[in-house]
Amino acid sequence: MHENPGTEEIRNLLESSRTVAVVGLSDRPYRTSHSIARFLQDFGFRIFPVNPNLRGPVFGEEPYASVEEIPEAVDIVDVFRSSEKVMPTARDAVVAG
């Protein structure tokens, strides 16, 4: 059975990370993915919007259709997708490295 990481492990991960792929990022301000991505960017993280439906930049960052398309290393993949789409997203992140 999988156990979620503890507070200290999460803190260490966040302190050592600089880039976040936000899968399912919406350009609609009322969506949770939008506000979380804004918070992460305001906190100093570089975000990579991942959503094939986006037609232009979000928070000044060009969108990608998949994590695999991101041309830079990504430290964290934050997923805002329905549960049945999480495994394909996880596979995409693993392929991306």
CSV table of all heavy atoms in Angstrom, one decimal, residues 26-87:
chain,number,residue,atom,x,y,z
A,26,SER,N,-5.9,25.5,-16.3
A,26,SER,CA,-6.9,26.2,-17.1
A,26,SER,C,-6.6,27.7,-17.2
A,26,SER,O,-5.9,28.2,-16.3
A,26,SER,CB,-8.3,26.1,-16.3
A,26,SER,OG,-9.3,26.8,-17.0
A,27,ASP,N,-7.0,28.3,-18.2
A,27,ASP,CA,-6.8,29.8,-18.4
A,27,ASP,C,-8.0,30.5,-17.7
A,27,ASP,O,-8.0,31.7,-17.8
A,27,ASP,CB,-6.6,30.2,-19.8
A,27,ASP,CG,-7.7,29.7,-20.7
A,27,ASP,OD1,-8.7,29.1,-20.3
A,27,ASP,OD2,-7.6,30.0,-22.0
A,28,ARG,N,-8.9,29.8,-17.1
A,28,ARG,CA,-10.0,30.4,-16.5
A,28,ARG,C,-9.7,30.7,-15.0
A,28,ARG,O,-9.4,29.8,-14.2
A,28,ARG,CB,-11.2,29.5,-16.5
A,28,ARG,CG,-11.7,29.2,-18.0
A,28,ARG,CD,-12.8,28.3,-18.0
A,28,ARG,NE,-13.0,27.9,-19.4
A,28,ARG,CZ,-13.4,26.7,-19.7
A,28,ARG,NH1,-13.6,25.7,-18.8
A,28,ARG,NH2,-13.6,26.4,-21.0
A,29,PRO,N,-9.7,32.0,-14.6
A,29,PRO,CA,-9.3,32.4,-13.2
A,29,PRO,C,-10.1,31.7,-12.1
A,29,PRO,O,-9.5,31.6,-11.0
A,29,PRO,CB,-9.5,33.9,-13.2
A,29,PRO,CG,-9.6,34.3,-14.6
A,29,PRO,CD,-10.1,33.1,-15.4
A,30,TYR,N,-11.3,31.2,-12.3
A,30,TYR,CA,-12.1,30.6,-11.2
A,30,TYR,C,-11.7,29.2,-11.0
A,30,TYR,O,-12.2,28.6,-10.1
A,30,TYR,CB,-13.6,30.8,-11.5
A,30,TYR,CG,-14.0,30.2,-12.8
A,30,TYR,CD1,-14.4,28.9,-12.8
A,30,TYR,CD2,-14.1,30.9,-13.9
A,30,TYR,CE1,-14.9,28.3,-14.0
A,30,TYR,CE2,-14.5,30.4,-15.1
A,30,TYR,CZ,-14.9,29.1,-15.2
A,30,TYR,OH,-15.3,28.5,-16.3
A,31,ARG,N,-10.9,28.6,-11.8
A,31,ARG,CA,-10.5,27.2,-11.7
A,31,ARG,C,-9.4,27.0,-10.7
A,31,ARG,O,-8.5,27.8,-10.6
A,31,ARG,CB,-10.1,26.6,-13.0
A,31,ARG,CG,-11.1,26.6,-14.2
A,31,ARG,CD,-12.4,25.9,-13.8
A,31,ARG,NE,-12.1,24.5,-13.6
A,31,ARG,CZ,-12.5,23.5,-14.4
A,31,ARG,NH1,-13.0,23.8,-15.6
A,31,ARG,NH2,-12.2,22.2,-14.2
A,32,THR,N,-9.4,25.9,-9.9
A,32,THR,CA,-8.4,25.7,-8.9
A,32,THR,C,-7.0,25.6,-9.5
A,32,THR,O,-6.1,26.1,-8.9
A,32,THR,CB,-8.7,24.4,-8.1
A,32,THR,OG1,-10.0,24.5,-7.6
A,32,THR,CG2,-7.7,24.1,-7.0
A,33,SER,N,-6.9,25.0,-10.6
A,33,SER,CA,-5.6,24.8,-11.3
A,33,SER,C,-5.0,26.2,-11.6
A,33,SER,O,-3.7,26.4,-11.4
A,33,SER,CB,-5.7,24.0,-12.6
A,33,SER,OG,-6.5,24.7,-13.5
A,34,HIS,N,-5.8,27.1,-11.9
A,34,HIS,CA,-5.4,28.5,-12.3
A,34,HIS,C,-4.8,29.2,-11.0
A,34,HIS,O,-3.7,29.8,-11.0
A,34,HIS,CB,-6.5,29.3,-12.8
A,34,HIS,CG,-6.2,30.6,-13.4
A,34,HIS,ND1,-5.8,30.8,-14.7
A,34,HIS,CD2,-6.1,31.8,-12.8
A,34,HIS,CE1,-5.5,32.0,-14.9
A,34,HIS,NE2,-5.7,32.7,-13.8
A,35,SER,N,-5.5,29.1,-9.9
A,35,SER,CA,-5.1,29.8,-8.7
A,35,SER,C,-3.9,29.2,-8.1
A,35,SER,O,-3.0,29.8,-7.6
A,35,SER,CB,-6.2,29.9,-7.7
A,35,SER,OG,-6.8,28.7,-7.4
A,36,ILE,N,-3.8,27.8,-8.1
A,36,ILE,CA,-2.6,27.1,-7.6
A,36,ILE,C,-1.4,27.5,-8.4
A,36,ILE,O,-0.3,27.7,-7.9
A,36,ILE,CB,-2.8,25.6,-7.6
A,36,ILE,CG1,-4.0,25.3,-6.6
A,36,ILE,CG2,-1.6,24.9,-7.2
A,36,ILE,CD1,-3.7,25.6,-5.1
A,37,ALA,N,-1.5,27.5,-9.8
A,37,ALA,CA,-0.4,27.8,-10.6
A,37,ALA,C,0.1,29.2,-10.4
A,37,ALA,O,1.3,29.5,-10.3
A,37,ALA,CB,-0.8,27.6,-12.1
A,38,ARG,N,-0.8,30.1,-10.2
A,38,ARG,CA,-0.5,31.5,-9.9
A,38,ARG,C,0.3,31.6,-8.6
A,38,ARG,O,1.3,32.3,-8.5
A,38,ARG,CB,-1.7,32.4,-9.9
A,38,ARG,CG,-1.5,33.8,-9.3
A,38,ARG,CD,-0.5,34.6,-10.0
A,38,ARG,NE,-1.0,35.2,-11.2
A,38,ARG,CZ,-0.3,35.7,-12.2
A,38,ARG,NH1,1.0,35.7,-12.1
A,38,ARG,NH2,-0.9,36.3,-13.2
A,39,PHE,N,-0.2,30.9,-7.6
A,39,PHE,CA,0.5,30.9,-6.3
A,39,PHE,C,1.9,30.3,-6.4
A,39,PHE,O,2.8,30.9,-5.9
A,39,PHE,CB,-0.4,30.0,-5.3
A,39,PHE,CG,0.3,29.9,-4.0
A,39,PHE,CD1,0.3,30.9,-3.0
A,39,PHE,CD2,1.0,28.7,-3.7
A,39,PHE,CE1,1.0,30.7,-1.8
A,39,PHE,CE2,1.7,28.5,-2.5
A,39,PHE,CZ,1.6,29.5,-1.5
A,40,LEU,N,2.0,29.2,-7.1
A,40,LEU,CA,3.4,28.6,-7.3
A,40,LEU,C,4.3,29.6,-8.0
A,40,LEU,O,5.5,29.8,-7.6
A,40,LEU,CB,3.3,27.3,-8.1
A,40,LEU,CG,2.6,26.2,-7.4
A,40,LEU,CD1,2.3,25.0,-8.4
A,40,LEU,CD2,3.5,25.7,-6.3
A,41,GLN,N,3.8,30.3,-9.0
A,41,GLN,CA,4.6,31.2,-9.8
A,41,GLN,C,5.0,32.4,-8.9
A,41,GLN,O,6.1,32.9,-8.9
A,41,GLN,CB,3.9,31.7,-11.0
A,41,GLN,CG,4.8,32.5,-12.0
A,41,GLN,CD,4.1,32.9,-13.2
A,41,GLN,OE1,3.0,33.5,-13.2
A,41,GLN,NE2,4.6,32.5,-14.4
A,42,ASP,N,4.0,32.9,-8.2
A,42,ASP,CA,4.3,34.0,-7.2
A,42,ASP,C,5.3,33.7,-6.2
A,42,ASP,O,6.0,34.5,-5.6
A,42,ASP,CB,3.0,34.5,-6.6
A,42,ASP,CG,2.1,35.3,-7.6
A,42,ASP,OD1,2.5,35.6,-8.7
A,42,ASP,OD2,0.9,35.5,-7.2
A,43,PHE,N,5.3,32.4,-5.8
A,43,PHE,CA,6.2,31.9,-4.8
A,43,PHE,C,7.6,31.7,-5.3
A,43,PHE,O,8.5,31.4,-4.6
A,43,PHE,CB,5.6,30.6,-4.2
A,43,PHE,CG,6.2,30.3,-2.8
A,43,PHE,CD1,5.8,31.0,-1.7
A,43,PHE,CD2,7.2,29.3,-2.7
A,43,PHE,CE1,6.3,30.6,-0.5
A,43,PHE,CE2,7.7,29.0,-1.5
A,43,PHE,CZ,7.3,29.6,-0.3
A,44,GLY,N,7.8,31.8,-6.6
A,44,GLY,CA,9.1,31.7,-7.2
A,44,GLY,C,9.4,30.5,-8.1
A,44,GLY,O,10.4,30.3,-8.7
A,45,PHE,N,8.4,29.6,-8.3
A,45,PHE,CA,8.5,28.5,-9.1
A,45,PHE,C,8.3,28.9,-10.6
A,45,PHE,O,7.5,29.7,-10.9
A,45,PHE,CB,7.5,27.4,-8.8
A,45,PHE,CG,7.8,26.7,-7.5
A,45,PHE,CD1,7.2,27.1,-6.3
A,45,PHE,CD2,8.6,25.6,-7.4
A,45,PHE,CE1,7.4,26.5,-5.1
A,45,PHE,CE2,8.8,24.9,-6.2
A,45,PHE,CZ,8.3,25.4,-5.1
A,46,ARG,N,9.0,28.2,-11.5
A,46,ARG,CA,8.7,28.4,-12.9
A,46,ARG,C,7.7,27.3,-13.3
A,46,ARG,O,7.9,26.1,-13.0
A,46,ARG,CB,10.0,28.1,-13.8
A,46,ARG,CG,9.6,28.0,-15.2
A,46,ARG,CD,10.5,28.9,-16.1
A,46,ARG,NE,10.0,28.9,-17.5
A,46,ARG,CZ,10.7,28.4,-18.5
A,46,ARG,NH1,11.9,27.9,-18.3
A,46,ARG,NH2,10.1,28.5,-19.7
A,47,ILE,N,6.6,27.8,-13.8
A,47,ILE,CA,5.5,26.8,-14.2
A,47,ILE,C,5.5,26.5,-15.7
A,47,ILE,O,5.9,27.4,-16.5
A,47,ILE,CB,4.1,27.3,-13.7
A,47,ILE,CG1,3.7,28.6,-14.4
A,47,ILE,CG2,4.0,27.4,-12.2
A,47,ILE,CD1,2.2,28.7,-14.5
A,48,PHE,N,5.1,25.3,-16.0
A,48,PHE,CA,4.9,24.9,-17.4
A,48,PHE,C,3.4,24.5,-17.5
A,48,PHE,O,3.0,23.4,-17.0
A,48,PHE,CB,5.8,23.7,-17.8
A,48,PHE,CG,7.3,24.1,-17.7
A,48,PHE,CD1,8.0,23.7,-16.6
A,48,PHE,CD2,7.9,24.7,-18.8
A,48,PHE,CE1,9.4,24.0,-16.6
A,48,PHE,CE2,9.2,25.0,-18.8
A,48,PHE,CZ,10.0,24.7,-17.7
A,49,PRO,N,2.6,25.3,-18.2
A,49,PRO,CA,1.2,24.9,-18.4
A,49,PRO,C,1.2,23.6,-19.3
A,49,PRO,O,1.8,23.6,-20.4
A,49,PRO,CB,0.6,26.1,-19.1
A,49,PRO,CG,1.5,27.2,-18.8
A,49,PRO,CD,2.9,26.6,-18.7
A,50,VAL,N,0.4,22.6,-18.9
A,50,VAL,CA,0.2,21.4,-19.7
A,50,VAL,C,-1.3,21.2,-19.9
A,50,VAL,O,-2.0,20.8,-19.0
A,50,VAL,CB,0.9,20.2,-19.1
A,50,VAL,CG1,0.7,19.0,-20.0
A,50,VAL,CG2,2.4,20.4,-18.8
A,51,ASN,N,-1.7,21.5,-21.1
A,51,ASN,CA,-3.1,21.4,-21.5
A,51,ASN,C,-3.2,21.6,-23.0
A,51,ASN,O,-3.0,22.7,-23.5
A,51,ASN,CB,-4.0,22.4,-20.8
A,51,ASN,CG,-5.4,22.2,-21.0
A,51,ASN,OD1,-5.8,21.7,-22.0
A,51,ASN,ND2,-6.3,22.7,-20.1
A,52,PRO,N,-3.6,20.5,-23.8
A,52,PRO,CA,-3.6,20.6,-25.2
A,52,PRO,C,-4.7,21.6,-25.7
A,52,PRO,O,-4.7,22.0,-26.9
A,52,PRO,CB,-3.9,19.2,-25.7
A,52,PRO,CG,-4.5,18.5,-24.5
A,52,PRO,CD,-3.9,19.2,-23.3
A,53,ASN,N,-5.6,22.0,-24.8
A,53,ASN,CA,-6.7,22.9,-25.2
A,53,ASN,C,-6.3,24.4,-25.1
A,53,ASN,O,-7.1,25.3,-25.5
A,53,ASN,CB,-7.9,22.6,-24.4
A,53,ASN,CG,-8.4,21.2,-24.7
A,53,ASN,OD1,-8.5,20.8,-25.8
A,53,ASN,ND2,-8.8,20.5,-23.6
A,54,LEU,N,-5.2,24.7,-24.5
A,54,LEU,CA,-4.8,26.1,-24.3
A,54,LEU,C,-4.3,26.6,-25.6
A,54,LEU,O,-3.5,26.0,-26.3
A,54,LEU,CB,-3.7,26.2,-23.2
A,54,LEU,CG,-4.1,26.0,-21.8
A,54,LEU,CD1,-2.9,26.0,-20.9
A,54,LEU,CD2,-5.2,27.0,-21.4
A,55,ARG,N,-4.7,27.8,-26.0
A,55,ARG,CA,-4.3,28.4,-27.3
A,55,ARG,C,-3.3,29.5,-27.2
A,55,ARG,O,-2.8,30.0,-28.2
A,55,ARG,CB,-5.6,29.0,-28.0
A,55,ARG,CG,-6.6,27.9,-28.3
A,55,ARG,CD,-6.1,27.0,-29.3
A,55,ARG,NE,-6.9,25.8,-29.5
A,55,ARG,CZ,-6.6,24.6,-29.4
A,55,ARG,NH1,-5.3,24.3,-29.1
A,55,ARG,NH2,-7.4,23.6,-29.5
A,56,GLY,N,-2.9,29.8,-26.0
A,56,GLY,CA,-1.9,30.9,-25.8
A,56,GLY,C,-1.3,30.8,-24.4
A,56,GLY,O,-1.6,30.0,-23.6
A,57,PRO,N,-0.3,31.7,-24.2
A,57,PRO,CA,0.4,31.6,-22.9
A,57,PRO,C,-0.6,31.8,-21.7
A,57,PRO,O,-1.6,32.5,-21.8
A,57,PRO,CB,1.4,32.8,-23.0
A,57,PRO,CG,1.5,33.1,-24.4
A,57,PRO,CD,0.2,32.7,-25.0
A,58,VAL,N,-0.2,31.2,-20.6
A,58,VAL,CA,-0.8,31.4,-19.3
A,58,VAL,C,0.2,31.8,-18.3
A,58,VAL,O,1.3,31.2,-18.2
A,58,VAL,CB,-1.5,30.1,-18.8
A,58,VAL,CG1,-2.2,30.3,-17.5
A,58,VAL,CG2,-2.5,29.6,-19.8
A,59,PHE,N,0.0,33.0,-17.7
A,59,PHE,CA,1.0,33.5,-16.7
A,59,PHE,C,2.3,33.8,-17.4
A,59,PHE,O,3.4,33.6,-16.8
A,59,PHE,CB,1.2,32.7,-15.5
A,59,PHE,CG,-0.1,32.4,-14.7
A,59,PHE,CD1,-0.5,31.2,-14.4
A,59,PHE,CD2,-0.9,33.5,-14.4
A,59,PHE,CE1,-1.7,30.9,-13.7
A,59,PHE,CE2,-2.1,33.3,-13.7
A,59,PHE,CZ,-2.5,32.0,-13.4
A,60,GLY,N,2.3,34.1,-18.7
A,60,GLY,CA,3.5,34.4,-19.5
A,60,GLY,C,4.3,33.1,-20.0
A,60,GLY,O,5.3,33.3,-20.5
A,61,GLU,N,3.7,32.0,-19.7
A,61,GLU,CA,4.4,30.7,-20.1
A,61,GLU,C,3.6,30.0,-21.2
A,61,GLU,O,2.4,29.9,-21.2
A,61,GLU,CB,4.5,29.8,-18.9
A,61,GLU,CG,5.3,30.3,-17.8
A,61,GLU,CD,6.8,30.4,-18.1
A,61,GLU,OE1,7.3,29.8,-19.1
A,61,GLU,OE2,7.5,31.0,-17.3
A,62,GLU,N,4.4,29.6,-22.3
A,62,GLU,CA,3.8,28.9,-23.4
A,62,GLU,C,3.3,27.5,-22.9
A,62,GLU,O,3.9,26.8,-22.2
A,62,GLU,CB,4.8,28.7,-24.5
A,62,GLU,CG,5.1,29.9,-25.3
A,62,GLU,CD,3.9,30.5,-26.0
A,62,GLU,OE1,3.1,29.8,-26.5
A,62,GLU,OE2,3.8,31.8,-26.0
A,63,PRO,N,2.1,27.1,-23.4
A,63,PRO,CA,1.5,25.8,-23.0
A,63,PRO,C,2.1,24.6,-23.8
A,63,PRO,O,2.6,24.8,-24.9
A,63,PRO,CB,0.0,25.9,-23.2
A,63,PRO,CG,0.0,26.9,-24.3
A,63,PRO,CD,1.1,27.9,-24.2
A,64,TYR,N,2.0,23.5,-23.2
A,64,TYR,CA,2.4,22.2,-23.9
A,64,TYR,C,1.3,21.2,-23.8
A,64,TYR,O,0.5,21.3,-22.9
A,64,TYR,CB,3.7,21.6,-23.2
A,64,TYR,CG,4.9,22.5,-23.2
A,64,TYR,CD1,5.1,23.5,-22.2
A,64,TYR,CD2,5.7,22.5,-24.3
A,64,TYR,CE1,6.2,24.3,-22.3
A,64,TYR,CE2,6.8,23.3,-24.4
A,64,TYR,CZ,7.0,24.2,-23.4
A,64,TYR,OH,8.1,25.1,-23.5
A,65,ALA,N,1.2,20.4,-24.8
A,65,ALA,CA,0.2,19.4,-24.8
A,65,ALA,C,0.4,18.2,-23.9
A,65,ALA,O,-0.5,17.5,-23.4
A,65,ALA,CB,0.0,18.8,-26.3
A,66,SER,N,1.7,18.0,-23.5
A,66,SER,CA,2.1,16.9,-22.6
A,66,SER,C,3.3,17.2,-21.9
A,66,SER,O,4.1,18.1,-22.3
A,66,SER,CB,2.3,15.6,-23.4
A,66,SER,OG,3.4,15.7,-24.2
A,67,VAL,N,3.6,16.5,-20.8
A,67,VAL,CA,4.8,16.8,-20.0
A,67,VAL,C,6.0,16.4,-20.9
A,67,VAL,O,7.0,17.1,-20.8
A,67,VAL,CB,4.8,15.9,-18.7
A,67,VAL,CG1,6.1,16.1,-18.0
A,67,VAL,CG2,3.6,16.3,-17.8
A,68,GLU,N,5.9,15.4,-21.7
A,68,GLU,CA,7.0,14.9,-22.5
A,68,GLU,C,7.5,16.0,-23.5
A,68,GLU,O,8.6,16.1,-23.9
A,68,GLU,CB,6.6,13.7,-23.3
A,68,GLU,CG,7.7,13.0,-24.1
A,68,GLU,CD,7.3,11.7,-24.7
A,68,GLU,OE1,6.1,11.4,-24.7
A,68,GLU,OE2,8.1,11.1,-25.3
A,69,GLU,N,6.6,16.9,-23.9
A,69,GLU,CA,7.0,18.0,-24.8
A,69,GLU,C,7.8,19.1,-24.2
A,69,GLU,O,8.4,19.9,-24.9
A,69,GLU,CB,5.7,18.6,-25.4
A,69,GLU,CG,5.0,17.7,-26.4
A,69,GLU,CD,3.8,18.4,-27.0
A,69,GLU,OE1,3.6,19.6,-26.8
A,69,GLU,OE2,3.0,17.7,-27.7
A,70,ILE,N,7.8,19.2,-22.9
A,70,ILE,CA,8.5,20.3,-22.2
A,70,ILE,C,10.0,20.1,-22.4
A,70,ILE,O,10.6,19.1,-22.1
A,70,ILE,CB,8.2,20.3,-20.7
A,70,ILE,CG1,6.7,20.5,-20.5
A,70,ILE,CG2,9.0,21.4,-20.0
A,70,ILE,CD1,6.2,20.4,-19.0
A,71,PRO,N,10.7,21.1,-23.0
A,71,PRO,CA,12.1,21.0,-23.4
A,71,PRO,C,13.1,21.1,-22.2
A,71,PRO,O,14.3,21.1,-22.5
A,71,PRO,CB,12.3,22.1,-24.4
A,71,PRO,CG,11.3,23.2,-24.0
A,71,PRO,CD,10.1,22.4,-23.4
A,72,GLU,N,12.6,21.3,-21.0
A,72,GLU,CA,13.5,21.5,-19.9
A,72,GLU,C,13.1,20.5,-18.8
A,72,GLU,O,12.1,19.9,-18.8
A,72,GLU,CB,13.3,22.9,-19.3
A,72,GLU,CG,13.7,24.0,-20.2
A,72,GLU,CD,13.4,25.4,-19.6
A,72,GLU,OE1,13.7,25.6,-18.4
A,72,GLU,OE2,13.0,26.3,-20.4
A,73,ALA,N,14.0,20.3,-17.8
A,73,ALA,CA,13.8,19.4,-16.7
A,73,ALA,C,12.7,19.9,-15.9
A,73,ALA,O,12.6,21.1,-15.6
A,73,ALA,CB,15.0,19.2,-15.9
A,74,VAL,N,11.8,19.0,-15.4
A,74,VAL,CA,10.7,19.4,-14.5
A,74,VAL,C,10.9,18.7,-13.2
A,74,VAL,O,11.2,17.5,-13.1
A,74,VAL,CB,9.4,19.0,-15.1
A,74,VAL,CG1,8.2,19.2,-14.2
A,74,VAL,CG2,9.1,19.7,-16.4
A,75,ASP,N,10.8,19.5,-12.1
A,75,ASP,CA,11.0,18.9,-10.8
A,75,ASP,C,9.8,18.3,-10.2
A,75,ASP,O,9.8,17.2,-9.5
A,75,ASP,CB,11.5,20.0,-9.8
A,75,ASP,CG,12.8,20.6,-10.2
A,75,ASP,OD1,13.7,19.8,-10.6
A,75,ASP,OD2,13.0,21.8,-10.1
A,76,ILE,N,8.6,18.9,-10.4
A,76,ILE,CA,7.3,18.5,-9.9
A,76,ILE,C,6.3,18.5,-11.0
A,76,ILE,O,6.2,19.4,-11.8
A,76,ILE,CB,6.9,19.4,-8.7
A,76,ILE,CG1,7.9,19.4,-7.6
A,76,ILE,CG2,5.5,19.0,-8.2
A,76,ILE,CD1,7.6,20.4,-6.5
A,77,VAL,N,5.4,17.4,-11.0
A,77,VAL,CA,4.3,17.4,-11.9
A,77,VAL,C,3.0,17.5,-11.0
A,77,VAL,O,2.8,16.6,-10.2
A,77,VAL,CB,4.3,16.1,-12.7
A,77,VAL,CG1,3.0,16.1,-13.6
A,77,VAL,CG2,5.5,16.0,-13.6
A,78,ASP,N,2.3,18.6,-11.1
A,78,ASP,CA,1.1,18.8,-10.3
A,78,ASP,C,-0.1,18.5,-11.3
A,78,ASP,O,-0.2,19.2,-12.3
A,78,ASP,CB,1.1,20.3,-9.9
A,78,ASP,CG,0.1,20.5,-8.7
A,78,ASP,OD1,-0.5,19.6,-8.3
A,78,ASP,OD2,0.1,21.7,-8.3
A,79,VAL,N,-0.9,17.6,-10.9
A,79,VAL,CA,-2.0,17.1,-11.8
A,79,VAL,C,-3.4,17.6,-11.4
A,79,VAL,O,-3.8,17.3,-10.2
A,79,VAL,CB,-1.9,15.6,-11.9
A,79,VAL,CG1,-3.0,15.1,-12.9
A,79,VAL,CG2,-0.6,15.1,-12.3
A,80,PHE,N,-4.0,18.2,-12.3
A,80,PHE,CA,-5.4,18.7,-12.1
A,80,PHE,C,-6.3,18.0,-13.2
A,80,PHE,O,-6.7,18.6,-14.2
A,80,PHE,CB,-5.6,20.2,-12.2
A,80,PHE,CG,-4.9,20.9,-11.1
A,80,PHE,CD1,-3.6,21.3,-11.2
A,80,PHE,CD2,-5.6,21.2,-9.9
A,80,PHE,CE1,-3.0,21.9,-10.1
A,80,PHE,CE2,-5.0,21.8,-8.8
A,80,PHE,CZ,-3.7,22.2,-8.9
A,81,ARG,N,-6.4,16.7,-13.1
A,81,ARG,CA,-7.2,15.9,-14.1
A,81,ARG,C,-8.1,14.9,-13.3
A,81,ARG,O,-7.8,14.6,-12.1
A,81,ARG,CB,-6.2,15.1,-15.0
A,81,ARG,CG,-5.2,15.8,-15.8
A,81,ARG,CD,-5.8,16.7,-16.9
A,81,ARG,NE,-6.8,16.1,-17.7
A,81,ARG,CZ,-6.7,15.5,-18.8
A,81,ARG,NH1,-5.5,15.4,-19.3
A,81,ARG,NH2,-7.7,15.0,-19.5
A,82,SER,N,-9.1,14.4,-14.0
A,82,SER,CA,-10.0,13.4,-13.3
A,82,SER,C,-9.2,12.1,-13.1
A,82,SER,O,-8.2,11.9,-13.7
A,82,SER,CB,-11.2,13.1,-14.2
A,82,SER,OG,-10.7,12.7,-15.5
A,83,SER,N,-9.6,11.4,-12.1
A,83,SER,CA,-8.9,10.2,-11.6
A,83,SER,C,-8.5,9.2,-12.8
A,83,SER,O,-7.5,8.6,-12.8
A,83,SER,CB,-9.6,9.5,-10.5
A,83,SER,OG,-10.9,9.1,-10.9
A,84,GLU,N,-9.4,9.1,-13.7
A,84,GLU,CA,-9.1,8.1,-14.8
A,84,GLU,C,-8.0,8.6,-15.7
A,84,GLU,O,-7.5,7.8,-16.5
A,84,GLU,CB,-10.4,7.7,-15.6
A,84,GLU,CG,-11.0,8.8,-16.4
A,84,GLU,CD,-12.0,9.7,-15.6
A,84,GLU,OE1,-12.2,9.5,-14.4
A,84,GLU,OE2,-12.5,10.6,-16.3
A,85,LYS,N,-7.7,9.8,-15.7
A,85,LYS,CA,-6.6,10.3,-16.5
A,85,LYS,C,-5.3,10.5,-15.8
A,85,LYS,O,-4.3,10.9,-16.4
A,85,LYS,CB,-7.0,11.7,-17.1
A,85,LYS,CG,-8.2,11.5,-18.0
A,85,LYS,CD,-8.6,12.7,-18.8
A,85,LYS,CE,-9.8,12.3,-19.7
A,85,LYS,NZ,-10.4,13.5,-20.3
A,86,VAL,N,-5.2,10.1,-14.5
A,86,VAL,CA,-4.0,10.3,-13.8
A,86,VAL,C,-2.9,9.3,-14.2
A,86,VAL,O,-1.7,9.7,-14.4
A,86,VAL,CB,-4.3,10.1,-12.3
A,86,VAL,CG1,-3.0,10.0,-11.5
A,86,VAL,CG2,-5.1,11.3,-11.8
A,87,MET,N,-3.2,8.0,-14.5
A,87,MET,CA,-2.2,7.1,-14.9
A,87,MET,C,-1.6,7.4,-16.2
A,87,MET,O,-0.4,7.4,-16.3
A,87,MET,CB,-2.8,5.6,-14.9
A,87,MET,CG,-2.9,5.0,-13.5
A,87,MET,SD,-1.4,5.1,-12.5
A,87,MET,CE,-0.3,4.0,-13.5
